[in-house]
Amino acid sequence: MANKQVWTATGRRKRAIAQVRMTGGTGNITINGINIDEYMPNKMLIMDIKQPLVATSNENRFDIDVKVNGGGYSGQAGAIRHGITRALLSFDANTDQTREDSYRHILKNAGFVKRDPRVKERKKYGLKKARRAPQFSKR
């Protein structure tokens, strides 16, 4: 049996962490062993996940297997998108990165390469939430 080449990457968003395995194939995406259409409750999240593949014209070129945990559906979708982007960059690592048609140039201009650093702010003592103070009563 011939060895298939596998590109792996890790993506993160909020509290979610996604481990992405990308192999040559027909465009099937499975998340935690479940098809993407059954796992994700919203078509917008599925569209969000597939954005790097659409931007580089690779929708039907790779089979992607994802293990994701933590966070909610939106955070998981962002983590998967980040992981797919990193896997595509490792796939395209041998080409000249200064060219306009390189994956790095395309994905960076689309804003997919950088991890979104926004996370939930921690709760402070004396407050009800991170910034919400208790109601003030003058009398």
Side-chain angles (χ1 to χ4, degrees):
M1 188 169 125
N3 284 342
K4 271 191 165 183
Q5 194 162 8
V6 178
W7 297 275
T8 60
T10 302
R12 293 181 183 88
R13 169 86 171 97
K14 294 186 178 179
R15 293 274 182 174
I17 300 172
Q19 295 172 331
V20 177
R21 291 184 74 239
M22 191 170 75
T23 57
T26 59
N28 296 328
I29 300 175
T30 57
I31 302 171
N32 294 341
I34 303 170
N35 190 9
I36 188 171
D37 295 318
E38 297 170 18
Y39 186 85
M40 285 291 165
N42 191 343
K43 298 292 181 197
M44 291 299 290
L45 295 177
I46 295 171
M47 216 168 67
D48 191 36
I49 290 171
K50 292 182 178 180
Q51 279 179 331
L53 297 170
V54 173
T56 56
S57 303
N58 288 318
E59 302 96 23
N60 300 318
R61 188 172 176 188
F62 299 108
D63 284 341
I64 298 172
D65 184 35
V66 181
K67 289 181 184 163
V68 64
N69 60 358
Y73 287 115
S74 177
Q76 287 183 355
I80 294 168
R81 182 177 81 172
H82 190 229
I84 290 172
T85 300
R86 285 181 161 184
L88 284 170
L89 291 178
S90 66
F91 165 75
D92 195 46
N94 295 333
T95 61
D96 183 18
Q97 300 300 321
T98 59
R99 292 177 37 181
E100 299 255 337
D101 61 342
S102 70
Y103 286 178
R104 180 157 191 86
H105 188 268
I106 294 167
L107 294 170
K108 193 168 183 178
N109 285 344
F112 301 146
V113 175
K114 188 175 179 187
R115 181 202 189 281
D116 190 351
R118 296 175 294 173
V119 293
K120 186 176 171 105
E121 190 175 342
R122 78 171 201 85
K123 182 192 176 300
K124 281 79 169 187
Y125 59 88
L127 301 179
K128 292 186 175 289
K129 290 174 31 180
R131 298 185 184 205
R132 170 74 172 104
Q135 185 172 3
F136 175 75
S137 175
K138 197 168 197 177
R139 289 175 191 84

